Amino acid sequence: MSRQMTGAEMVITALQDQGVEVLFGYPGGSVLPIYDEIFKQEKIRHVLVRHEQGAVHAAEGYARSTGKVGAVLVTSGPGATNAVTGLADALMDSIPVVCITGQVPTHLIGNDAFQECDTVGITRPCTKHNWLVKSIDDLPRILHEAFHVAKSGRPGPVVIDIPKDVQFATGTYVGPKNISHKTYRPKIKGDMEAIRKAVEMIGKAHRPVFYTGGGVINSGPAASQLLRELVKTTGFPITSTLMGLGAFPAEHEQFLGMLGMHGTLEANMAMHESDLIVCVGARFDDRITGRLDAFAPLAKKIHIDIDPSSINKIIKVDVPIVGDVAHVLEDMIRVWKQTQPEVDKKALDKWWKKIDSWRARKCLAYRGSDEIIKPQYAIQRLYELTKKKDVYITTEVGQHQMWAAQFFKFDEPNRWMTSGGLGTMGYGIPAAVGVQMAHPKSLVIDIAGEASVMMTMQEISTAVQYRLPIKIFILNNHYMGMVRQWQELLHGGRYSESYSEALPDFVKLADAFGGVGIRCDKPADLDAAILEMIDTPKPVIFDCIVDPAENCFPMIPSGKAHNEMLFGDMVEDIGSVIDEKGKMLV
Amino acid sequence: MNTTHYPSQVVFESPETHTLSVIVDNEPGVLARVVGLFSGRGYNIESLTVSETEHEAHLSRITIVTTGTPMVIEQIKNQLARLVPVHRVVDLTVNGRVLARELALIKVKGKGDARVEALRLADAFRARVVDATTESFVFEITGKTDKIDEFVGLMGPLGLVEYSRTGVAAIARGPEPM
């Protein structure tokens, strides 16, 4: 299909041809021609956010909960710079987003024109790729190429910067074809030789563990199914990164919980003492490995990743397999069935006994209270009261995020949206907006902290406008909790600037936005209040007043090894656990 | 003493110098992507040259001389290959059959014995005189990086004014393309 149209029409036609149903954006001078085209059509629904950062996070939430590409439209200059945090977030977490930015007309580029900025220059390091479209002839190709780059291989955000004169210019539109990009060809199938070697190693392992990450989710639902099959066939324990939660059912007996800095004892000890780590779509991030020279000292490592640059970046692995998780796991299962390796059952039993001894330590235990709501308790109740429902969870960043990862159990992929790599406070509300747009009938909850919420709370207004009944469940401890925890552990309890002073009345705030506010500060009232929240068909801010002094444990202090964890019940005064020398070193 | 929140860098391997040839689409911003990658990820650039090599196919060849541990060199190659407009990354150092040359223009000012000595040394180094006045020469010299370093060093006391170097252009020996 090719026909004559303006650049602005091409943008909207290409989005439609690429299957975009929802576009998150904010208008401005340099994108008005495109907004004019939005006005003239009904296929694509535009969601007007309140800040461009919110547009990108909403697109991320949409993308992560559907597996589709998130689409964003913002104006030049401040529109583009405001989007940068979202783009960096999407790059770190490998989320497919196509962000279209307006630009001043080509003849004004470089003149410091009004609302001009070097968008491709600014976004170059925080996108997978970006384009400045200088000619209408290039526009259709670039639009389709952008979707291809964003969603294939290791997904990521891309930016298309379109000057206003190109939006007005007329040219020939070409629809999407099966484009074979001349340079960009990600490897999908894994090397069979490496896969056979991997299966052989898995068959011989005595103390194995699967270490899985966001790559499983990104690979699609089939990857999660194949992972479940392989893990159940082998009978091996499995742990997951923050990004990979939901790929394997959390309630399953083989699941050890999340690993890493705030992971469980059993997950971290299993990594530390294992003789084989099968890394599936994870990247040995510093929150996972802790001290590198003490990381899994006895383990051989198999690493499945679609991005060759993830392999041997931080940890040298023995068998790298470059390919898409679903394809590689499918091949692995086939080879496993063909070769029928004889697993050493006795060794595996011994390994599980050891793991059970770590489990018996009950590392997530905390001291309950009848007086004050413990944040962990709040998440546990939230989970129990929603687990039979069709629920999606987003989070902000901090203690509440870690507690959510520890205590909320996910059964399926694409149900858990959190800013893992960049750690962006303010991610949760706009992400919840995006998720709710994709799943209007589902229960979408942003597990939040009172400090993070203040960063993007303007998007509550978006939720109200589009009648998106998102639930913002604030664990309000009046502190930037994770900052306070680090100050307690590492800076002598000097709580420099981490107290949330002058907080708004969240119930009144919800009311002012046109939502519903609920406050709860007694454990006895919590269940009823959560049920009230669930039953409210409007956006809700739930102000859950929790213990301000609670810390998030277990914890591997930075620079420590997996077997050097701190626990909540170790001592009364946690500040004394790390000595003066240790504080300097961490 | 490490006072950051992050684990200190663990160094197992000693650094090596490698010469990489990178074939890229000759499109706006491609050099910025390559250079930005090096600065953003803290890699070294010792030399970088770029020029269009196949006009019809819009291809440019970037030659980069870089230093790092084998693990870092592998990262650099993988990160370069990940850039969308990059066609191929070839490590010319790996097979040990790399031919690397650079060109320098060197301005030397002097009279009397120093001038004669400069000219004699230029002859010994096979440098050509491309500009001359009664009190100066501009020499053109090509060769390996260390040869040029050597020549520039010798010109220092003989009235070296300034010099300009192209950076390294490199290719593999033998009949095969990279």
Side-chain angles (χ1 to χ4, degrees):
Chain A
M1 180 192 75
S2 67
R3 54 198 169 95
Q4 294 294 106
M5 58 176 80
T6 66
E9 275 181 275
M10 282 183 194
V11 170
I12 296 305
T13 312
L15 291 181
Q16 288 171 350
D17 287 350
Q18 290 289 345
V20 173
E21 288 164 358
V22 184
L23 178 61
F24 301 92
Y26 203 102
S30 299
V31 280
L32 286 180
I34 300 174
Y35 270 87
D36 206 27
E37 293 305 320
I38 290 174
F39 189 81
K40 295 178 194 161
Q41 57 85 51
E42 280 177 350
K43 274 193 196 159
I44 296 175
R45 205 160 160 217
H46 180 270
V47 175
L48 177 67
V49 293
R50 299 300 186 266
H51 184 286
E52 288 87 350
Q53 182 192 349
V56 185
H57 290 327
E60 285 185 89
Y62 182 90
R64 291 178 69 164
S65 65
T66 59
K68 294 197 255 179
V69 178
V72 176
L73 175 60
V74 297
T75 193
S76 62
T81 56
N82 278 347
V84 164
T85 300
L87 294 170
D89 189 273
L91 185 69
M92 285 288 259
D93 286 349
S94 309
I95 310 301
V97 170
V98 171
C99 176
I100 294 166
T101 57
Q103 183 57 278
V104 299
T106 43
H107 67 274
L108 287 180
I109 290 177
N111 281 325
D112 299 325
F114 177 64
Q115 292 196 330
E116 182 192 355
C117 74
D118 176 9
T119 301
V120 285
I122 291 169
T123 60
R124 196 174 290 128
C126 57
T127 52
K128 188 172 169 187
H129 194 57
N130 61 15
W131 296 263
L132 169 62
V133 187
K134 284 192 163 168
S135 158
I136 185 76
D137 300 333
D138 297 330
L139 184 59
R141 173 184 59 81
I142 288 174
L143 283 164
H144 299 307
E145 205 175 296
F147 276 86
H148 176 61
V149 171
K151 69 185 173 195
S152 62
R154 179 178 179 176
V158 298
V159 162
I160 314 170
D161 198 26
I162 312 178
K164 198 171 180 181
D165 55 331
V166 176
Q167 297 170 30
F168 276 124
T170 303
T172 310
Y173 175 76
V174 190
K177 293 169 291 199
N178 272 334
I179 46 167
S180 165
H181 196 275
K182 57 182 169 175
T183 52
Y184 174 74
R185 287 196 199 99
K187 195 161 171 274
I188 304 297
K189 293 286 275 181
D191 174 48
M192 279 313 291
E193 205 46 53
I195 289 173
R196 277 194 204 95
K197 175 95 182 103
V199 171
E200 194 190 318
M201 286 164 76
I202 291 171
K204 285 183 182 157
H206 289 176
R207 299 184 310 279
V209 61
F210 280 97
Y211 150 49
T212 62
V216 184
I217 315 276
N218 272 337
S219 179
S224 294
Q225 287 311 316
L226 291 160
L227 177 72
R228 289 163 193 218
E229 190 183 338
L230 184 63
V231 171
K232 285 169 192 171
T233 312
T234 55
F236 290 179
I238 172 172
T239 176
S240 167
T241 65
L242 181 73
M243 294 296 295
L245 295 176
F248 194 85
E251 301 269 23
H252 195 278
E253 55 184 9
Q254 280 169 265
F255 191 66
L256 306 182
M258 183 175 76
L259 81 164
M261 184 172 273
H262 291 290
T264 64
L265 174 73
E266 49 270 34
N268 287 327
M269 287 306 292
M271 290 290 281
H272 192 75
E273 299 208 354
S274 71
D275 68 347
L276 178 71
I277 291 173
V278 187
C279 169
V280 189
R283 60 183 176 92
F284 296 97
D285 171 83
D286 58 74
R287 304 290 96 166
I288 297 300
T289 60
R291 207 174 92 211
L292 283 177
D293 56 356
F295 174 73
L298 307 170
K300 294 258 185 220
K301 291 151 199 116
I302 297 166
H303 188 178
I304 305 169
D305 203 303
I306 199 160
D307 180 1
S309 75
S310 283
I311 287 167
N312 290 340
K313 180 169 71 175
I314 293 158
I315 297 288
K316 266 258 186 239
V317 297
D318 301 275
V319 180
I321 304 172
V322 177
D324 170 58
V325 166
H327 285 83
V328 173
L329 289 182
E330 194 177 17
D331 285 339
M332 279 176 104
I333 290 169
R334 182 151 25 82
V335 173
W336 180 277
K337 282 177 181 160
Q338 281 164 5
T339 54
Q340 301 278 352
E342 274 193 39
V343 183
D344 188 339
K345 281 262 185 308
K346 252 172 83 182
L348 206 55
D349 280 349
K350 215 172 126 196
W351 179 227
W352 270 112
K353 286 218 171 67
K354 196 145 199 197
I355 289 170
D356 287 339
S357 73
W358 293 320
R359 274 180 166 161
R361 175 69 177 77
K362 296 208 181 307
C363 67
L364 294 177
Y366 59 92
R367 205 166 290 137
S369 166
D370 295 336
E371 308 286 307
I372 189 161
I373 300 173
K374 290 285 181 174
Q376 301 95 323
Y377 176 74
I379 307 246
Q380 279 180 318
R381 292 319 301 159
L382 186 68
Y383 170 61
E384 291 299 332
L385 296 170
T386 58
K387 72 175 173 186
K388 297 266 183 328
K389 296 184 184 295
D390 172 24
V391 64
Y392 291 83
I393 301 291
T394 72
T395 75
E396 311 288 339
V397 169
Q399 284 183 322
H400 68 272
Q401 178 191 28
M402 293 298 111
W403 282 317
Q406 290 171 340
F407 291 95
F408 208 99
K409 314 280 183 199
F410 294 91
D411 244 7
E412 290 172 58
N414 305 97
R415 296 279 171 166
W416 163 247
M417 273 57 58
T418 192
S419 172
L422 196 66
T424 311
M425 289 172 72
Y427 173 85
I429 296 178
V433 166
V435 175
Q436 191 84 74
M437 277 305 294
H439 309 277
K441 299 247 182 299
S442 307
L443 177 62
V444 181
I445 305 172
D446 169 27
I447 297 178
E450 84 289 340
S452 287
V453 154
M454 298 293 286
M455 286 201 176
T456 51
M457 65 176 180
Q458 73 281 353
E459 302 306 336
I460 298 167
S461 173
T462 311
V464 170
Q465 179 179 342
Y466 295 92
R467 296 194 173 83
L468 305 172
I470 61 168
K471 317 298 180 213
I472 302 161
F473 189 79
I474 303 173
L475 297 179
N476 186 348
N477 61 1
H478 290 83
Y479 278 102
M480 292 157 215
M482 196 58 94
V483 174
R484 203 223 59 229
Q485 176 167 344
W486 281 67
Q487 287 172 333
E488 186 177 334
L489 287 169
L490 306 165
H491 296 277
R494 292 177 294 280
Y495 300 130
S496 177
E497 304 295 326
S498 56
Y499 183 67
S500 295
E501 201 141 359
L503 281 173
D505 179 328
F506 284 110
V507 175
K508 283 188 188 157
L509 186 73
D511 197 40
F513 271 116
V516 174
I518 299 171
R519 180 171 295 121
C520 182
D521 56 6
K522 293 201 176 53
D525 301 341
L526 186 60
D527 278 20
I530 290 174
L531 289 172
E532 186 193 340
M533 173 185 86
I534 295 168
D535 289 339
T536 305
K538 286 175 112 182
V540 176
I541 303 181
F542 190 112
D543 188 15
C544 186
I545 310 292
V546 298
D547 185 350
E550 194 67 24
N551 282 325
C552 186
F553 288 111
M555 177 180 184
I556 306 174
S558 283
K560 296 273 184 181
H562 278 170
N563 57 349
E564 299 176 278
M565 297 190 84
L566 299 180
F567 300 96
D569 51 7
M570 264 177 153
V571 278
E572 278 297 314
D573 173 19
I574 202 71
S576 66
V577 170
I578 301 175
D579 58 17
E580 277 307 313
K581 207 166 140 234
K583 279 173 195 165
M584 297 298 284
L585 279 168
V586 168
Chain B
M1 192 182 295
N2 177 16
T3 53
T4 76
H5 299 322
Y6 295 89
S8 53
Q9 196 188 0
V10 187
V11 182
F12 299 103
E13 301 158 312
S14 51
E16 300 170 356
T17 299
H18 282 237
T19 305
L20 310 179
S21 241
V22 188
I23 306 294
V24 299
D25 269 334
N26 185 15
E27 63 175 37
V30 67
L31 185 60
R33 282 180 214 285
V34 170
V35 173
L37 172 72
F38 274 74
S39 65
R41 292 188 182 265
Y43 306 141
N44 297 309
I45 298 181
E46 293 187 358
S47 162
L48 183 140
T49 59
V50 52
S51 180
E52 190 177 62
T53 50
E54 288 178 53
H55 182 72
E56 294 304 310
H58 292 287
L59 292 182
S60 288
R61 189 173 181 125
I62 300 177
T63 308
I64 305 168
V65 181
T66 183
T67 304
T69 63
M71 215 160 145
V72 169
I73 298 283
E74 188 187 335
Q75 257 301 295
I76 292 173
K77 289 187 273 185
N78 283 331
Q79 292 289 352
L80 282 169
R82 200 158 79 121
L83 297 176
V84 169
V86 167
H87 286 254
R88 293 181 67 202
V89 180
V90 174
D91 186 344
L92 296 172
T93 305
V94 163
N95 57 18
R97 303 204 350 124
V98 53
L99 271 174
R101 293 291 182 271
E102 60 177 315
L103 181 146
L105 296 169
I106 297 148
K107 186 174 286 184
V108 182
K109 186 179 173 188
K111 287 191 165 171
D113 287 349
R115 184 173 162 86
V116 176
E117 184 62 15
L119 201 57
R120 252 175 8 135
L121 283 167
D123 195 38
F125 275 77
R126 289 172 209 206
R128 291 199 304 138
V129 177
V130 289
D131 179 67
T133 68
T134 53
E135 51 173 350
S136 73
F137 288 120
V138 174
F139 297 118
E140 174 198 306
I141 183 170
T142 59
K144 289 182 186 166
T145 299
D146 49 359
K147 173 183 165 183
I148 292 169
D149 290 344
E150 190 77 18
F151 185 67
V152 169
L154 287 169
M155 289 301 114
L158 298 175
L160 177 70
V161 178
E162 61 179 355
Y163 63 103
S164 168
R165 301 169 70 148
T166 58
V168 172
I171 206 159
R173 288 180 191 273
E176 301 304 323
M178 63 175 248

